Amino acid sequence: MDFKSYQTAIRGLLGDKRYEHSLCVSRAAVQLAKLYGADEEKAETAGILHDIMKDLPQQEQVKLMNQYGIQLTEVERNAPKLWHAILGAEYIRRELGVADSEILQAVRYHTTARENMTLLDKTLFIADFISDDRDYPGVEHLRQVAKKSLEDAIIEGIAFTIQDLANLKTPIHPDTIAAYNQAILQNQS
Ligand code: DGI
Ligand code: FE
Ligand code: FE
C-alpha cells in the first residue's frame, strides 16, 4: 500500500483531530528523518499509521487484542493509553500488510519508548511530541532541542512523560524507565 491508501485507511478509523495529528506527525517524522538520516519513507509511513487504533473504543481494542492473541503485562492491562500502540503495530501488520519490522517496532514503541531504540523509533517518538498540532506548555522548547539533538529531545520527552505519570499516580511502563535510564547514562558517558 502507498501513502494515499494509508491515509484512506486511517481516515475511516480516526476522528478529525486525530487524523490531522497523524498527518502532522508524519510530516514532522519526515523532517526529523531528513535531519538525522533516518529512512524518510519509513518515517512517513510510521507517522501516518502510529495512532491508527487510538480512537477505537477501549472495549473494541480489548476485543481485537484478544482476537490477535496479544497478551498484556499487568502494567499494560492497567494502562489503556498504551493499548493503541501495541494493538496498532499488530493491526497494520495483519490488516494493512505492513511487513517492515522497523516500522512495526516504531509504532509499537511510540508511546512508551524502549531501551536500544532504533533511529526510526526515536524519529517517530519525538515527531509525536513536536508535531505542528501540539500546543502543550514547553512544546516550543522541545522543538528547538529536537533541531539540535535527537538524544537530548528523547531525554526531555521521557522525563516530561515520567513526571506527568508520577503526578497522576499512574503506572509507568518498564520500557519507559529503561529508555530513560539508558538515555541518561549514555548522556553522562
Ligand atoms: O497517542 P498520542 O496522544 O499522540 O501520544 P502517545 O501515544 O505518546 O500517548 C501519550 C499518553 O500515553 C499519555 O497520556 C501518557 C501515556 N503514557 C506514555 N508512557 C506511559 C504512559 N502511560 C503509562 N501508564 N505508562 C507509560 O509508561
Ligand atoms: Fe499514540
Ligand atoms: Fe500520536
Side-chain angles (χ1 to χ4, degrees):
M1 280 170 96
D2 59 4
F3 187 75
K4 272 267 167 244
S5 322
Y6 291 140
Q7 216 174 323
T8 308
I10 64 158
R11 182 61 283 202
L13 288 162
L14 298 176
D16 291 349
K17 226 180 132 197
R18 187 59 51 178
Y19 175 70
E20 287 303 325
H21 166 70
S22 302
L23 293 176
C24 288
V25 170
S26 186
R27 270 196 295 271
V30 171
Q31 279 173 7
L32 288 172
K34 282 195 167 93
L35 199 54
Y36 293 108
D39 186 308
E40 290 173 35
E41 205 178 318
K42 290 186 188 189
E44 185 183 51
T45 302
I48 191 81
L49 295 177
H50 81 287
D51 274 341
I52 189 163
M53 292 285 101
K54 182 91 177 183
D55 284 351
L56 206 66
Q58 282 184 14
Q59 273 185 334
E60 300 294 318
Q61 292 190 43
V62 171
K63 235 197 236 170
L64 211 46
M65 283 192 286
N66 286 335
Q67 201 178 307
Y68 289 168
I70 293 173
Q71 306 218 358
L72 299 179
T73 64
E74 193 184 359
V75 167
E76 289 162 358
R77 266 197 303 281
N78 288 285
K81 288 192 171 158
L82 302 183
W83 299 350
H84 75 286
I86 299 166
L87 177 58
E90 193 57 14
Y91 182 90
I92 63 173
R93 187 178 75 79
R94 290 180 184 239
E95 315 293 342
L96 305 184
V98 176
D100 186 284
S101 60
E102 278 190 287
I103 295 174
L104 297 174
Q105 300 275 305
V107 171
R108 168 72 178 74
Y109 293 102
H110 87 263
T111 305
T112 55
R114 61 165 169 164
E115 207 172 358
N116 301 325
M117 281 200 279
T118 66
L119 184 55
L120 193 69
D121 290 349
K122 292 175 185 173
T123 300
L124 178 60
F125 185 77
I126 294 305
D128 199 11
F129 267 98
I130 65 167
S131 57
D132 282 348
D133 59 303
R134 295 293 199 198
D135 61 358
Y136 58 87
V139 66
E140 207 34 65
H141 170 70
L142 195 55
R143 286 186 181 121
Q144 294 312 316
V145 175
K147 281 184 196 164
K148 298 205 189 94
S149 161
L150 195 58
E151 306 304 326
D152 288 354
I154 296 273
I155 291 177
E156 300 242 355
I158 299 178
F160 181 86
T161 301
I162 289 177
Q163 279 165 20
D164 242 28
L165 294 168
N167 283 336
L168 296 166
K169 309 285 187 289
T170 308
I172 298 174
H173 197 284
D175 287 341
T176 306
I177 308 281
Y180 174 79
N181 285 341
Q182 188 182 41
I184 294 288
L185 292 171
Q186 269 173 5
N187 195 240
Q188 284 168 353
S189 61

